[in-house]
Amino acid sequence: MQPIICMDKNVISLSHGSGGLISRELVEGLFLKRFHNNALMDLEDASILNLPMEKIAFTTDSFVVNPIFFPGGDIGRLAVCGTVNDLSMMGAKPLYLSVGFIIEEGFLIEDLKKIVDSMGEAAEEAEVSIVCGDTKVVERNAADNIFINTAGIGVIPEDVDISVKNAVPGDVIIVNGNIGDHGIAVLSQRKGLHFKTYIKSDVAPLNGLTALMIQKTRNIHTMRDPTRGGLATTLKEIAIGSNVGIEIDEERIPVSEGVRKACELLGLDWLYLANEGKAVVVVPEEEGEQLIETMKRHPYGEGAKIIGRVVPNSPGIVTMRNAYGVRRVIEMLAGEQYPRIC
Amino acid sequence: MQPIICMDKNVISLSHGSGGLISRELVEGLFLKRFHNNALMDLEDASILNLPMEKIAFTTDSFVVNPIFFPGGDIGRLAVCGTVNDLSMMGAKPLYLSVGFIIEEGFLIEDLKKIVDSMGEAAEEAEVSIVCGDTKVVERNAADNIFINTAGIGVIPEDVDISVKNAVPGDVIIVNGNIGDHGIAVLSQRKGLHFKTYIKSDVAPLNGLTALMIQKTRNIHTMRDPTRGGLATTLKEIAIGSNVGIEIDEERIPVSEGVRKACELLGLDWLYLANEGKAVVVVPEEEGEQLIETMKRHPYGEGAKIIGRVVPNSPGIVTMRNAYGVRRVIEMLAGEQYPRIC
């Protein structure tokens, strides 16, 4: 047992999770100030939302990234963007988020403020409201610093039908930029590695980009963000979900020199590295180039490229052709490359 | 560092949270089987929901209860009921839940199955669908067994307006049964205490009961479930939220003999004990008795009683009169009575 320092105002204590007076002070003094909106201010048991009468999308994700601060972002920005992106991948306009904190006793209030600020900024960028929340505090060593869950609600325009089941032969596969940055940014921070090229996480809300894309064409068949498990796992999920074959070209996949070097050093395959600001987009070939032009007009789409195509043969199989024309089968991530990347 | 047992199929490994093949096996082999519904089966990044065009309620809660199995329930039942009840307290009909698991490496698959079963049963009882989810696995000692977040969506009939702000002088205050059972059930399990009377948690979904009540009258002003912080904290929240005074009578508050004895033994005040199947209901005095008759027709409302009233004087203040007519001021829980009760 570590000694418990009573009344230290700078750290989270078990009282902050009691549901009583000290909890209320934390909620009013920190969360409400940063996430201000009418639905949250009411402090009801549930928030009442105004939603247009369209299809509703609903998703959830927990974030356990270690370390909680990393080059290019932190667990707060990640928690907002991760859920915003899951909604965006369905063609939804994200509107409302919930947030659930699980905090270890003794966690620095200063660090919680930074995280809450970062969530507030990301929510503003994504134009979503954080409308309900919950805070639990557990004893020292019962959790590692802080875990955050976000759930999100969005609306899908009536004529949008984007699904992991909708890829068909003849489609091309697009990614919106460099692969692997998030994975390497977190791992390098964790291991105290310093690469010549400073690698920042790509963590970003993609709903602005996807809204532009949906405005351009209603023929996007599939979108998915290659987070845990990386590009390889996402492509395999699409191949299985749509019962199609997928062929990608290694040379076309955008990967920064820094990530390539870090992968060599660490013995990692960038195909399996996590991304937090990337989308895999499947669209009919005849619309591919035009869609890329549209994507390039958005800061998060500047690196958009066609990396492969959907084929009728070998349903459920993903293959990658390398610079020498040799084709190899790409499987899902088996086992764990590294835990707590998001 | 504990040695990591490779390939032990009976425990959760880091691979179960990788987002790759082993994750998929867990999702398909366990979660989809138990929570089957069309929205979840699609395995999309977000679930698409059909909602009637009414007011939408949205809420979230994380559950970190220790121990995870306790008399009368477990963390799974708690995670479903807690969120169902938060929606019910707004007069909403709960429809959809998300679930986010954070699991410690080495957790028994057998225990996870029990929890998932328990969530499935509770969801069936509450007639809600678990439509999206996420699983993260953290290393040994980075979390204590398992934490569960649920977020929930419900619809509120157009003419229902239940809020912590709506209590007015002249209202009576009702509870639907014995206070303190959940708190004592968890604490006794944790401390290995055995009381003469076996005390079970009251954890239950209250939406069936609240639906009956709303059918009976649209004049319910406030409902709130006295979970963490107990009855005292909830009454104080209502007094502050509605800017009214509240007077309760100690003798009228239903508390079982077992809970009274346990409180004496442990030096606890049952006013601050957590409940997970109780509602504090505020309704005009002239409708109180009739509403209680309605509540008694439901298994979770059999113990319904008027325990006090809303008064115009002393806004924001809660007082309790004891058997000798002495009145004392009731404050919110200050500090932490005991952590991880829910």
Side-chain angles (χ1 to χ4, degrees):
Chain A
M1 285 284 286
Q2 296 189 30
I4 292 166
I5 303 155
C6 289
M7 304 302 294
D8 182 343
K9 292 264 184 193
N10 299 314
V11 302
I12 289 289
S13 71
L14 289 168
S15 304
H16 282 114
S18 66
L21 197 62
I22 315 289
S23 295
R24 197 176 170 105
E25 285 173 8
L26 183 70
V27 169
E28 292 183 347
L30 182 56
F31 302 141
L32 291 193
K33 276 198 187 144
R34 197 56 188 84
F35 304 148
H36 46 87
N37 61 67
N38 290 340
L40 184 62
M41 297 304 275
D42 284 346
L43 284 184
E44 299 280 3
D45 273 342
S47 287
I48 298 176
L49 310 177
N50 292 311
L51 289 173
M53 298 155 220
E54 287 161 290
K55 283 186 291 184
I56 303 293
F58 183 33
T59 188
T60 189
D61 241 329
S62 299
F63 299 86
V64 298
V65 66
N66 172 28
I68 54 175
F69 299 101
F70 48 81
D74 60 33
I75 191 172
R77 181 168 173 84
L78 195 59
V80 169
C81 295
T83 289
V84 161
N85 291 349
D86 276 348
L87 293 170
S88 306
M89 294 304 112
M90 301 298 291
K93 176 178 166 57
L95 294 176
Y96 299 107
L97 297 188
S98 67
V99 55
F101 295 101
I102 297 174
I103 312 177
E104 184 185 9
E105 179 191 16
F107 189 72
L108 285 176
I109 299 272
E110 196 52 40
D111 283 346
L112 183 59
K113 278 188 183 153
K114 278 187 215 162
I115 290 165
V116 167
D117 264 343
S118 178
M119 296 185 80
E121 269 169 42
E124 274 152 29
E125 184 184 348
E127 295 177 11
V128 295
S129 302
I130 296 170
V131 292
C132 54
D134 175 60
T135 307
K136 294 290 190 307
V137 178
V138 298
E139 318 89 287
R140 272 168 214 268
N141 303 319
D144 190 9
N145 284 313
I146 186 168
F147 302 143
I148 303 178
N149 175 284
T150 48
I153 296 177
V155 290
I156 303 176
E158 213 38 82
D159 54 348
V160 166
D161 178 22
I162 296 171
S163 163
V164 74
K165 294 174 179 169
N166 290 358
V168 292
D171 288 347
V172 289
I173 292 166
I174 296 170
V175 294
N176 59 319
N178 281 345
I179 288 298
D181 293 7
H182 178 75
I184 294 296
V186 172
L187 279 181
S188 62
Q189 180 78 3
R190 196 185 300 172
K191 293 182 187 294
L193 297 174
H194 298 282
F195 301 110
K196 263 191 190 160
T197 332
Y198 179 71
I199 298 161
K200 282 201 318 188
S201 167
D202 60 344
V203 56
L206 294 177
N207 54 323
L209 174 64
T210 56
L212 261 187
M213 292 162 61
I214 288 167
Q215 213 181 325
K216 175 71 185 172
T217 173
R218 293 293 157 108
N219 286 329
I220 295 169
H221 289 158
T222 304
M223 286 200 283
R224 190 158 266 214
D225 52 341
T227 56
R228 274 186 298 176
L231 182 62
T233 301
T234 295
L235 291 170
K236 184 78 179 176
E237 284 167 353
I238 297 171
I240 293 171
S242 296
N243 201 32
V244 294
I246 289 179
E247 295 180 358
I248 53 171
D249 296 319
E250 186 167 0
E251 286 192 297
R252 292 205 200 177
I253 301 172
V255 185
S256 76
E257 204 46 40
V259 167
R260 283 181 200 278
K261 289 256 168 70
C263 279
E264 270 174 40
L265 189 73
L266 298 168
L268 295 171
D269 186 342
W270 45 261
L271 268 181
Y272 294 93
L273 287 177
N275 310 275
E276 292 292 343
K278 291 297 168 304
V280 175
V281 182
V282 184
V283 70
E285 184 170 17
E286 58 275 21
E287 303 199 36
E289 287 300 340
Q290 279 196 324
L291 187 60
I292 283 176
E293 286 315 304
T294 303
M295 292 171 73
K296 286 187 169 173
R297 291 206 296 271
H298 193 282
Y300 297 140
E302 282 172 0
K305 281 186 75 175
I306 291 176
I307 62 162
R309 67 210 72 80
V310 179
V311 296
N313 43 317
S314 333
I317 306 292
V318 180
T319 60
M320 182 167 79
R321 191 171 54 185
N322 69 11
Y324 310 102
V326 179
R327 202 163 267 296
R328 68 170 167 114
V329 171
I330 303 297
E331 297 294 353
M332 275 191 191
L333 179 62
E336 176 57 80
Q337 200 173 18
Y338 36 75
R340 299 179 62 189
I341 207 71
C342 60
Chain B
M1 284 286 286
Q2 296 189 32
I4 292 165
I5 303 153
C6 288
M7 303 301 293
D8 182 343
K9 293 266 186 191
N10 300 315
V11 301
I12 289 290
S13 71
L14 289 169
S15 303
H16 282 114
S18 67
L21 197 62
I22 315 289
S23 295
R24 198 179 168 101
E25 284 173 10
L26 182 69
V27 169
E28 291 183 347
L30 181 55
F31 302 141
L32 292 194
K33 275 196 185 144
R34 196 58 187 81
F35 304 146
H36 47 85
N37 60 67
N38 290 340
L40 184 63
M41 298 302 275
D42 284 345
L43 284 184
E44 299 280 3
D45 273 341
S47 287
I48 298 176
L49 309 177
N50 293 311
L51 290 174
M53 299 154 222
E54 285 161 293
K55 282 184 290 185
I56 303 294
F58 183 33
T59 189
T60 190
D61 243 327
S62 299
F63 298 86
V64 299
V65 66
N66 171 28
I68 54 176
F69 299 101
F70 48 81
D74 59 32
I75 191 171
R77 182 168 173 83
L78 195 58
V80 169
C81 296
T83 289
V84 161
N85 291 349
D86 276 348
L87 293 171
S88 305
M89 294 305 112
M90 301 296 293
K93 176 178 165 58
L95 294 176
Y96 300 107
L97 297 188
S98 67
V99 55
F101 295 102
I102 297 174
I103 313 177
E104 184 185 8
E105 178 190 16
F107 190 71
L108 284 176
I109 299 272
E110 195 52 39
D111 283 344
L112 183 58
K113 278 188 183 152
K114 277 187 216 162
I115 290 165
V116 166
D117 264 345
S118 177
M119 294 186 81
E121 268 169 41
E124 275 153 28
E125 183 184 349
E127 295 178 10
V128 295
S129 302
I130 295 170
V131 292
C132 53
D134 174 61
T135 306
K136 293 291 188 305
V137 179
V138 298
E139 319 90 285
R140 273 169 214 268
N141 303 320
D144 190 10
N145 284 312
I146 186 168
F147 302 143
I148 304 178
N149 175 285
T150 48
I153 296 177
V155 290
I156 303 177
E158 214 38 78
D159 55 348
V160 167
D161 177 24
I162 296 172
S163 162
V164 74
K165 294 175 180 171
N166 290 358
V168 291
D171 288 348
V172 289
I173 293 166
I174 297 170
V175 294
N176 59 318
N178 281 344
I179 288 298
D181 294 6
H182 177 75
I184 294 297
V186 171
L187 279 181
S188 62
Q189 180 79 4
R190 196 187 297 172
K191 294 184 186 292
L193 298 173
H194 298 284
F195 301 110
K196 263 191 187 159
T197 330
Y198 179 71
I199 299 162
K200 283 200 316 188
S201 167
D202 59 343
V203 56
L206 294 177
N207 55 323
L209 173 64
T210 55
L212 260 187
M213 291 161 61
I214 288 167
Q215 214 181 324
K216 176 71 184 170
T217 172
R218 293 294 158 109
N219 287 328
I220 295 170
H221 290 160
T222 305
M223 286 200 283
R224 190 159 267 213
D225 52 342
T227 55
R228 274 185 299 176
L231 182 62
T233 301
T234 295
L235 290 171
K236 183 78 179 174
E237 285 167 353
I238 296 171
I240 293 172
S242 296
N243 200 33
V244 293
I246 290 179
E247 295 179 357
I248 52 171
D249 296 318
E250 185 168 1
E251 285 192 297
R252 294 205 198 175
I253 302 172
V255 185
S256 76
E257 205 44 43
V259 166
R260 283 180 199 278
K261 289 255 169 70
C263 280
E264 270 173 41
L265 190 71
L266 298 168
L268 295 170
D269 185 342
W270 45 260
L271 268 181
Y272 294 92
L273 287 176
N275 309 275
E276 293 291 344
K278 291 298 169 301
V280 175
V281 182
V282 184
V283 72
E285 185 170 14
E286 58 273 21
E287 302 199 35
E289 287 301 338
Q290 280 195 324
L291 186 60
I292 283 176
E293 286 315 304
T294 303
M295 292 171 74
K296 286 188 167 172
R297 291 206 296 272
H298 192 282
Y300 297 140
E302 281 172 0
K305 281 185 75 175
I306 291 175
I307 62 163
R309 69 210 70 80
V310 179
V311 295
N313 43 318
S314 332
I317 306 292
V318 180
T319 59
M320 183 167 78
R321 191 172 53 188
N322 70 11
Y324 309 102
V326 180
R327 201 163 270 294
R328 68 171 167 115
V329 171
I330 302 297
E331 296 294 350
M332 278 193 188
L333 179 62
E336 177 58 83
Q337 199 173 22
Y338 35 76
R340 296 178 65 190
I341 206 72
C342 61

